[in-house]
Amino acid sequence: MNSLRTNRLLDTSFKYVGIFATLFGLVMLAIFIFNILGDGISRIDWDFLTSLPSRRSSKAGILTAWTGTAWIMMLTALIAIPLGISAGIYLQEYGKKNRLAAIVEVNISNLAGVPSIIYGLLGLEIFVRTLNMGSSLLAGACTLSLLILPVIIVATREALKAVPNSLREASYGMGATKWQTIWYQILPAASGGIITGVILALSRAVGETAPLIVIGALAYVPFVAQSPLDEFTVLPMQIFNWVSRPQKGFLENGAAAIIVLLAITFCMNGIAIYFRNRWQKKINW
């Protein structure tokens, strides 16, 4: 009886602690967004989105920053998505279930928690110095691809695990090969979970600054990147550059750029939530 009461008391305590932590986080987020909107919403207009950086806060814009972010997102997606999904499919559907596979699985999960600056140092040594890519968009995209690959691999594996084995057995019973079963049955059933993991991984890459600083990305770029080998900047670095200045005008610019970055992140997370809910309904059905 005493242990049962203790367990109930612990369950109740954890429940209220979780509710309090959630409410506290929501309140802090609301305060942050309210302050940012108050400081920067009046600064957002077409000129702000289409102007180059400037030493005058009233003329400075985020054209080079958001185009650099778009370049990085596109290149990172082109590199990381095929590799991550392919690796996840191989490890889950083709890899042998032995001790070595267990060690690989644990290490992939651990890599998802490695500080991002470590990936920046790795990218600096491999892509910037060894492969002579310099401080280019391609070097930045390759570095961020290493950062999000573990997330995509883990998400792909979990989505594939959630597909019922009866679907595989039915496909094999109809005479389909293993690859035909994966391509026409397993991947469509797991697509929602895979897409969710990919979008969340890319949304993490959008907000990263440390790896890009390490590989030599610039805080001030007076031109729009035209190719993957051009130098670049991104929204987080532009925000850091502005908020580190004492002038009030640049602080307002930084707040406006934060609003744009938050809008991109919220949109990506909203899309991920939509696909996750749609996938869960399909699995439950």
Side-chain angles (χ1 to χ4, degrees), residues 6-19:
T6 302
N7 290 335
R8 288 180 178 176
L9 181 61
L10 288 174
D11 290 340
T12 304
S13 301
F14 283 124
K15 177 182 178 180
Y16 284 113
V17 169
I19 293 174

Side-chain angles (χ1 to χ4, degrees), residues 85 159-160 163 185-198 275-276 278-279 282-283:
I85 294 177
L160 295 175
V163 177
Q185 303 298 329
I186 307 303
L187 283 179
S191 60
I194 295 173
I195 293 173
T196 299
V198 167
F275 280 110
R276 182 188 64 191
R278 184 177 177 183
W279 176 63
K282 183 185 295 186
I283 292 298

Side-chain angles (χ1 to χ4, degrees), residues 44-284:
I44 298 179
D45 54 22
W46 184 250
D47 289 336
F48 183 71
L49 296 175
T50 58
S51 297
L52 295 172
S54 173
R55 290 184 174 87
R56 295 184 178 182
S57 60
S58 60
K59 295 184 177 181
I62 58 171
L63 178 61
T64 58
W66 74 259
T67 54
T69 297
W71 267 105
I72 285 290
M73 285 181 59
M74 180 183 66
L75 293 174
T76 301
L78 290 175
I79 297 170
I81 292 176
L83 290 177
I85 294 177
S86 299
I89 292 173
Y90 173 78
L91 291 173
Q92 182 60 32
E93 301 293 335
Y94 290 96
K96 296 181 179 179
K97 310 301 180 183
N98 51 27
R99 186 175 181 181
L100 178 61
I103 294 174
V104 170
E105 182 176 353
V106 171
N107 279 278
I108 290 175
S109 300
N110 290 336
L111 285 173
V114 172
S116 59
I117 195 169
I118 303 300
Y119 288 100
L121 294 172
L122 183 63
L124 175 65
E125 183 61 32
I126 296 177
F127 303 120
V128 177
R129 294 176 179 174
T130 303
L131 299 180
N132 294 320
M133 293 183 182
S135 303
S136 64
L137 284 163
L138 186 59
C142 290
T143 302
L144 292 181
S145 296
L146 293 179
L147 175 67
I148 67 173
L149 264 177
V151 179
I152 297 177
I153 293 173
V154 171
T156 301
R157 294 198 64 186
E158 292 301 322
L160 295 175
K161 284 181 183 179
V163 177
N165 285 327
S166 58
L167 189 63
R168 297 176 173 85
E169 294 169 358
S171 180
Y172 295 146
M174 295 295 292
T177 64
K178 190 175 185 67
W179 174 246
Q180 288 174 333
T181 299
I182 293 172
W183 185 256
Y184 292 106
Q185 303 298 329
I186 307 303
L187 283 179
S191 60
I194 295 173
I195 293 173
T196 299
V198 167
I199 295 174
L200 293 177
L202 289 175
S203 65
R204 179 189 176 185
V206 167
E208 286 293 343
T209 306
L212 302 180
I213 292 176
V214 172
I215 68 169
L218 304 176
Y220 177 80
V221 178
F223 56 86
V224 177
Q226 300 294 328
S227 75
L229 297 179
D230 288 343
E231 294 181 329
F232 69 102
T233 189
V234 289
L235 275 171
M237 293 187 65
Q238 185 67 76
I239 292 169
F240 173 77
N241 182 30
W242 279 339
V243 299
S244 62
R245 299 188 180 187
Q247 296 91 341
K248 182 180 178 180
F250 284 112
L251 296 179
E252 293 177 352
N253 288 347
I258 289 174
I259 294 172
V260 175
L261 183 59
L262 284 176
I264 295 173
T265 305
F266 286 162
C267 286
M268 295 183 69
N269 281 274
I271 295 172
I273 292 172
Y274 168 77
F275 280 110
R276 182 188 64 191
N277 293 336
R278 184 177 177 183
W279 176 63
Q280 287 178 344
K281 290 180 181 178
K282 183 185 295 186
I283 292 298
N284 292 333

